[in-house]
Amino acid sequence: MKNDWPAIITDLQRDRGISSNELARISGVSRTSLRRFKSRRGDWTIRTLDRVLEALSCELELFDIGVRGK
């Protein structure tokens, strides 16, 4: 399963009325990095995604799906 993180971030940002400048300031991620990621020209680490989601009052939950038997 693959999430469309750029669209999710864009929707959350719009729903919360947070500008790109404000999101960059709150999350500590540069405006350039935000713009590149949202336009699908850049990749983020899980840590960066988590920082941006936290700035948008969301939480990233990770889980271990395990390795299927041999």
Side-chain angles (χ1 to χ4, degrees):
M1 176 161 83
K2 186 173 181 173
N3 291 311
D4 186 359
W5 289 112
I8 292 168
I9 297 296
T10 299
D11 289 347
L12 288 168
Q13 186 179 347
R14 183 188 61 243
D15 292 348
R16 285 158 175 73
I18 297 176
S19 70
S20 292
N21 286 339
E22 186 176 4
L23 182 56
R25 183 182 57 76
I26 295 169
S27 67
V29 175
S30 72
R31 279 184 37 228
T32 301
S33 180
L34 286 170
R35 183 175 55 248
R36 289 180 54 80
F37 182 74
K38 293 193 308 182
S39 65
R40 294 172 170 76
R41 294 188 323 249
D43 293 321
W44 282 349
T45 63
I46 293 295
R47 179 174 159 82
T48 301
L49 178 60
D50 187 49
R51 286 171 41 200
V52 171
L53 288 172
E54 185 177 316
L56 293 166
S57 301
C58 293
E59 185 174 314
L60 179 64
E61 290 188 23
L62 301 176
F63 58 94
D64 181 7
I65 59 173
V67 177
R68 298 200 181 221
K70 291 185 174 185

